[in-house]
Amino acid sequence: MKTKIKNVIKKIPGVFYIRDKIKFLDFNSDKVFFLKNYMYSNVITKEKIEYEMILEIHKLEKGFAVVNPRPFGIDKVKKIINCIRKYENNNFKSGFAYNLAYSSLEEYKKFYEEKEWTETEQYKLVSDFMNNAKEYIYIPVGAYDLNKSDFIEDSKIDFDKFLSSRKSIRNFADKKLEAEDITKAVNTAIKSPSACNRQMCKVYYIDNVDNKKVVEKYAQGLGLFDLTNANYFVITFDVAANYFVGERNQGWFNAGLFSMNFVNALHSLGIGSCFIQFGNSFKEEEEFKKLLNIPSSERVAVIITAGYYDEVSRIPYSTRKDISEIYRVR
Ligand SMILES: Cc1cc2nc3c(=O)[nH]c(=O)nc-3n(C[C@H](O)[C@H](O)[C@H](O)COP(=O)(O)O)c2cc1C
């Protein structure tokens, strides 16, 4: 009966066109979502102020790294002070970005004193503000020198061999993931670069049985998996970190970098994994986030299945293209 109805519907002129039009409405949902949640959208949230702080701190930090610096950063320190005030007026609980914001002003003041730029407007502004600073924890900020020999020493591994030994894994050993290994892998992934150091990605380890079922229901690419010992991670990014329309795809890119490092870190710990694309509709993504209690301003970038390597893993060849097909010189 169902097939009969489907066949009748298929014959209606324009039905596919309308179906595709409806599906493509998700692009509009992306736009509406971005405008509702990005850094300068109407509602003030703790996260938005924190991302703004980190953004401005990062711009300021680059001033510390200039070889022959001149007085710099007046706009940035004004914005940082403004963010701290907003944060305190809203009584948000102090966290990393807040401590970093105060630390950056402390470092800025010190730097200006060392350079004897104490007559400048920005020095006086920061100095006055810091006289009434609330309690904060100092976090290293500014710039430092790293020797070439350190780079060379610390990067001495056979990187190609390591990367070539990672494969997408679709069956896993019967062993629960150790919390210590997960922490290690996340700590490695945290070292991934991110736009203006905003660190907009989050990792959700799906440990609860019901939540695992949610992942299995929504993930579309689990078809060929042996899910018996599968563990799941969901990688998201927060649109609150993005500050203008040019950053509309920033989160996806940052999540890609983050996820790749996470997966490689898992691999270094004897944990195999496979990305599972989140090819769901916008509506499904909203449902998924609700069920897993993921904050509303985050987007789901990808799901990762993982588990310790089993004695044998069956691997599709996934042969790569020849370099001549992908490398161009212009
Ligand atoms: C973003 C992304 C999404 C993927 N989604 C799926 C998926 O849904 N199901 C699956 O079995 N594999 C998935 N994969 C794994 C790819 O098929 C695999 O990475 C590719 O064939 C290369 O193989 P390798 O990872 O073993 O080198 C995905 C990979 C990426 C990077």
Side-chain angles (χ1 to χ4, degrees), residues 238-254:
D238 196 342
V239 169
N242 302 136
Y243 71 108
F244 75 113
V245 65
E247 292 209 316
R248 65 195 179 282
N249 297 319
Q250 190 62 266
W252 305 110
F253 187 71
N254 283 245

Side-chain angles (χ1 to χ4, degrees), residues 39 69 73 77 104 111 120 124 159 163 281 313-315:
M39 190 181 285
V77 291
S104 70
F111 194 79
T120 56
K124 287 175 187 158
F159 190 57
L163 277 197
S281 68
S313 304
R314 192 151 177 87
I315 313 284

